[in-house]
């Protein structure tokens, strides 16, 4: 369904604007990343000099008894005439995985923008925030679009995420497809390496099996949930007639009586209420974000706060 008129591609209301996602970098740049609260350490928080694969070269020092001879620095040894050993710094780089809902229900909005556009804006903010904190960022779309963006670090990682968000938005227009949240979480759980997960959804795909999947995911990652909702899903609509569009067909809904308005609001808001209650029950950090709000505060609170909501 849609209540926002579709205009030109990338208008920032009914469709994702890549320019807007990239411009969010400046806003995030004014936010100071808080210490990470995750089950793994972020890059630079703590280091140890160890040997083995997956390590970054740190420095060389004079050979000491017990050093692994396979780590001898032969170039420095030749120049100095004295045995030297290479030291390596263990990689402890954090990784954020954004799980983005692309179901048709996300393409709905009565205030300012579609939920799908707000979700993309929130995901972009998360990407810029994560790379600024020294993390790699990746994303997985579920629902209509089922794509994966491998984690990357630095500005290139956030730019890649913004590009993927815009592309996924274009790819989902006019397509009807469903994927239960539990199945999406199962796919996300098979992606190794992420120590933080941000789920962005309106909750309409939330099924009973999602509870176990979310609980399983928390065993190896810190999970936060951002529930995107429209104003009509959060409060009773004022009495009146509402034009809606679904699958290319325009209809008008008449809402006048209290019971009629209440049932309409509960039906629209069932998903966000269900997902919010699930996150609350599992003790996950979560926030609700409507389509008119600035996603910066909600996203940075989820990624930087020390305690659940």
């Amino acid at each position: 369904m849609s209540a926002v008129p579709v205009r030109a591609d990338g208008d920032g209301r009914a469709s994702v604007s890549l320019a807007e996602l990239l411009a969010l970098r400046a806003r995030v740049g004014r936010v100071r990343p808080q210490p990470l609260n995750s089950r793994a350490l972020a890059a630079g928080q703590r280091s140890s000099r160890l040997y083995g694969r997956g390590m970054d070269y740190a420095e060389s020092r004079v050979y000491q008894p017990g050093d692994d001879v396979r780590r001898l620095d032969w170039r420095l040894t030749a120049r100095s005439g004295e045995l030297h050993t290479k030291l390596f710094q263990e990689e402890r780089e954090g990784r954020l995985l954004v799980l983005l809902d692309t179901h048709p229900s996300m393409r709905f909005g009565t205030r300012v923008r579609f939920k799908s556009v707000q979700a993309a804006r929130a995901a972009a903010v998360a990407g810029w925030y994560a790379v600024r904190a020294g993390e790699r960022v990746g994303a997985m779309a579920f629902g209509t679009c089922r794509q994966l963006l491998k984690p990357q670090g630095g500005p290139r990682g956030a730019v890649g995420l913004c590009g993927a968000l815009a592309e996924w938005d274009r790819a989902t227009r006019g397509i009807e497809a469903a994927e239960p949240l539990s199945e999406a979480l199962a796919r996300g759980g098979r992606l190794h390496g992420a120590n933080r997960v941000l789920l962005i959804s309106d909750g309409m795909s939330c099924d009973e099996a999602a509870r176990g999947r979310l609980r399983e995911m928390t065993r190896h990652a810190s999970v936060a949930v951002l529930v995107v909702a429209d104003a009509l899903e959060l409060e009773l609509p004022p009495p009146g007639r509402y034009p809606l569009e679904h699958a290319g067909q325009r209809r008008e809904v008449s809402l006048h009586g209290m019971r009629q308005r209440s049932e309409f609001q509960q039906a629209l808001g069932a998903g966000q209420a269900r997902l919010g209650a699930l996150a609350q029950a599992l003790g996950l950090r979560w926030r609700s974000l409507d389509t008119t709000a600035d996603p910066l505060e909600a996203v940075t609170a989820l990624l930087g706060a020390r305690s659940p909501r």
Side-chain angles (χ1 to χ4, degrees):
M1 290 187 294
S2 73
V4 175
V6 178
R7 301 188 301 178
D9 180 53
D11 59 16
R13 297 180 66 218
S15 55
V16 172
S17 167
L18 177 57
E20 181 184 11
L21 301 186
L22 296 174
L24 288 170
R25 177 182 186 179
R27 298 214 60 235
V28 177
R30 294 192 290 269
V31 178
R32 192 171 196 177
Q34 298 180 29
L36 298 178
N37 179 33
S38 63
R39 297 181 184 274
L41 295 173
Q45 282 189 294
R46 185 180 302 169
S47 63
S48 59
R49 291 174 180 176
L50 304 171
Y51 303 115
R53 296 180 180 177
M55 308 298 172
D56 289 333
Y57 172 75
E59 61 180 334
S60 294
R61 60 160 168 76
V62 175
Y63 174 84
Q64 297 178 5
D67 284 351
D68 189 337
V69 295
R70 294 173 298 177
R71 300 299 176 181
L72 290 176
D73 188 336
W74 293 111
R75 291 186 178 181
L76 183 56
T77 296
R79 292 200 303 270
S80 65
E82 189 175 11
L83 285 176
H84 279 74
T85 302
K86 291 182 178 179
L87 298 180
F88 294 81
Q89 181 172 308
E90 184 181 8
E91 293 181 359
R92 293 186 183 274
E93 188 174 38
R95 293 192 178 195
L96 171 68
L97 175 65
V98 177
L99 299 181
L100 182 72
D101 193 339
T102 64
H103 278 94
S105 63
M106 296 290 288
R107 303 192 68 81
F108 173 79
T110 63
R111 301 289 191 280
V112 183
R113 57 182 64 88
F114 278 180
K115 290 185 290 183
S116 57
V117 174
Q118 183 71 316
R121 295 172 76 234
V125 167
W128 288 117
Y129 184 87
V131 299
R132 188 163 185 264
E135 295 180 280
R136 288 176 175 266
V137 61
M140 188 192 85
F142 67 96
T144 300
C145 182
R146 305 181 188 185
Q147 298 293 327
L148 173 66
L149 177 70
K150 294 182 179 179
Q152 294 187 79
R156 183 169 60 178
V159 170
L161 174 62
C162 292
L165 294 171
E167 179 60 34
W168 294 346
D169 181 69
R170 287 192 294 270
T172 58
R173 295 175 199 169
I175 301 176
E176 298 282 339
E179 180 182 21
L181 180 58
S182 58
E183 292 184 9
L185 293 172
R187 286 199 295 123
R190 291 193 291 269
L191 303 175
H192 301 290
N195 57 299
R196 297 213 287 175
V197 175
L198 176 62
L199 169 63
I200 304 177
S201 171
D202 66 355
M204 293 301 289
S205 64
C206 185
D207 56 338
E208 184 58 35
R211 178 183 295 270
R213 298 294 187 185
L214 272 174
R215 185 182 290 111
E216 176 66 25
M217 186 171 282
T218 61
R219 294 180 181 178
H220 58 80
S222 175
V223 180
V225 178
L226 184 63
V227 184
V228 182
D230 181 73
L232 288 183
E233 300 171 344
L234 298 173
E235 58 188 25
L236 285 179
R241 302 178 69 86
Y242 292 83
L244 299 175
E245 182 178 326
H246 177 60
Q249 297 184 356
R250 295 182 65 85
R251 297 181 179 180
E252 193 173 72
V253 178
S254 179
L255 302 175
H256 293 287
M258 176 63 74
R259 179 178 178 181
Q260 190 180 38
R261 292 157 54 207
S262 178
E263 291 177 349
F264 181 80
Q265 184 267 324
Q266 289 178 16
L268 280 183
Q272 62 91 19
R274 187 163 57 245
L275 182 55
L278 176 57
Q280 184 78 28
L282 294 177
L284 302 180
R285 192 179 303 119
W286 75 281
R287 288 290 180 97
S288 178
L289 178 69
D290 69 54
T291 58
T292 68
D294 183 344
L296 183 63
E297 190 277 332
V299 171
T300 54
L302 287 175
L303 297 184
R306 289 181 174 275
S307 60
R309 179 180 174 179

